[in-house]
Amino acid sequence: MSPNFHYKFVAPDPEIAPFVENIGMFHNPSDTAKEIVLMPDGRVDLFFMQSASEPFKVILIGLETIPEQREIPPHTLAFKVSFKPLATEYILQTSIADIFNSGKLLPEGFWDIDADDLTDFDAFHKKITQKITALLPAETDERKRLLFELIYASNGEMTVAELSEKVAWGSRQINRYFNMQFGLSLNAFCKILRFRASLQHIAKGRLFPELNFSDQNHFIKEIKKFSGAVPGELFKNKDDRFILLSVLKQQ
């Protein structure tokens, strides 16, 4: 971690874990912008942030399929919740198809979080956990719950046909649900999870395919498609540009 850039991610409480991947923060206290590359990771991010140049705001980022180079402005502080996609329906109670590969500002006062809540990460973690816990549904569609459980357990390597058979839900209906709720197909989402699982291997210096890529060339092509870099460049991670990879290297 750079002395001029700080980040922290913690696992959610077990009660909200079916819907939340982690709760985290990043902070650029320096006088210069921090260049980063955001890579698709299959998560839906809710940011609460402010900087020296911009007031407090809340941003919801949808699922992404392309890498994006960004700059974190000087003196930026952001707390975030990384949701699993199912949370958009049951916790956020909204479709995110309209913010596929993009994001949107949420109303002021969303979830009663304001700039004062950015002064203490532990207090924020407690408050946001309480808010999400209060929104937990009494029940969820068992097909959807099982579908995501299988997708995650297989790192996206099960085919749509296999998933459809195991959850007793037609593949057309599943894809219709994915496109209407998330803005992409089930197959596209599975490829993102396979990419994310591959990053865990790359972070450890294993630069060859360990999942169901047809060959090394296919592996390199897929990694570059989602990250903008070949596996060797990712592993070097110059200037900690790929934050997701930096986090994986620390685990």
Side-chain angles (χ1 to χ4, degrees), residues 1-247:
M1 187 187 306
S2 166
N4 293 322
F5 186 73
H6 311 287
Y7 53 83
K8 177 180 182 179
F9 299 93
V10 297
D13 289 2
E15 190 173 12
I16 64 172
F19 299 99
V20 177
E21 287 225 4
N22 62 57
I23 299 172
M25 61 82 69
F26 63 78
H27 185 206
N28 178 13
S30 72
D31 295 327
T32 58
K34 166 69 175 176
E35 293 185 359
I36 63 170
V37 178
L38 297 180
M39 300 182 290
D41 59 9
R43 299 165 179 153
V44 178
D45 290 325
L46 179 62
F47 285 94
F48 302 87
M49 61 192 302
Q50 64 181 1
S51 70
S53 58
E54 295 189 30
F56 176 82
K57 56 187 177 182
V58 184
I59 304 174
L60 182 64
I61 306 294
L63 292 175
E64 298 172 316
T65 57
I66 54 176
E68 184 177 353
Q69 294 191 24
R70 289 189 187 177
E71 285 191 345
I72 299 177
H75 304 287
T76 293
L77 175 63
F79 291 172
K80 66 187 284 272
V81 183
S82 288
F83 289 104
K84 298 175 181 178
L86 197 58
T88 62
E89 180 178 357
Y90 289 101
I91 303 298
L92 296 169
Q93 300 175 9
T94 184
S95 164
I96 56 167
D98 61 329
I99 54 170
F100 173 63
N101 278 330
S102 63
K104 65 181 178 182
L105 285 171
L106 296 185
E108 184 177 344
F110 182 81
W111 281 3
D112 298 320
I113 302 290
D114 57 31
D116 291 339
D117 292 298
L118 300 187
T119 59
D120 186 328
F121 178 74
D122 291 337
F124 169 83
H125 178 276
K126 181 178 180 180
K127 183 173 181 177
I128 207 74
T129 297
Q130 291 174 340
K131 180 64 180 180
I132 295 170
T133 300
L135 292 169
L136 289 174
E139 60 182 9
T140 59
D141 186 319
E142 181 62 18
R143 297 173 306 175
K144 295 173 183 176
R145 186 201 65 76
L146 179 57
L147 176 65
F148 277 101
E149 182 179 292
L150 292 169
I151 293 170
Y152 283 112
S154 65
N155 290 320
E157 293 202 281
M158 292 182 68
T159 67
V160 175
E162 289 173 325
L163 291 166
S164 173
E165 181 179 357
K166 286 186 176 295
V167 301
W169 193 10
S171 57
R172 287 187 179 181
Q173 285 83 6
I174 293 175
N175 272 315
R176 187 178 300 118
Y177 168 69
F178 261 75
N179 279 292
M180 290 182 64
Q181 182 66 28
F182 311 119
L184 79 174
S185 69
L186 170 57
N187 185 53
F189 180 72
C190 287
K191 286 184 177 180
I192 293 171
L193 289 195
R194 183 176 65 173
F195 163 73
R196 194 174 86 179
S198 296
L199 288 181
Q200 296 175 332
H201 307 150
I202 292 171
K204 294 176 173 61
R206 306 203 301 267
L207 308 182
F208 297 91
E210 300 187 18
L211 301 173
N212 65 348
F213 297 94
S214 57
D215 53 33
Q216 178 73 359
N217 286 335
H218 180 215
F219 171 67
I220 292 173
K221 183 179 179 180
E222 284 287 292
I223 295 302
K224 190 169 184 178
K225 172 186 174 182
F226 287 120
S227 70
V230 297
E233 291 178 79
L234 281 173
F235 177 68
K236 292 177 182 177
N237 197 10
K238 184 178 179 182
D239 298 323
D240 277 336
R241 291 184 305 132
F242 301 97
I243 295 178
L244 178 56
L245 202 66
S246 299
V247 172

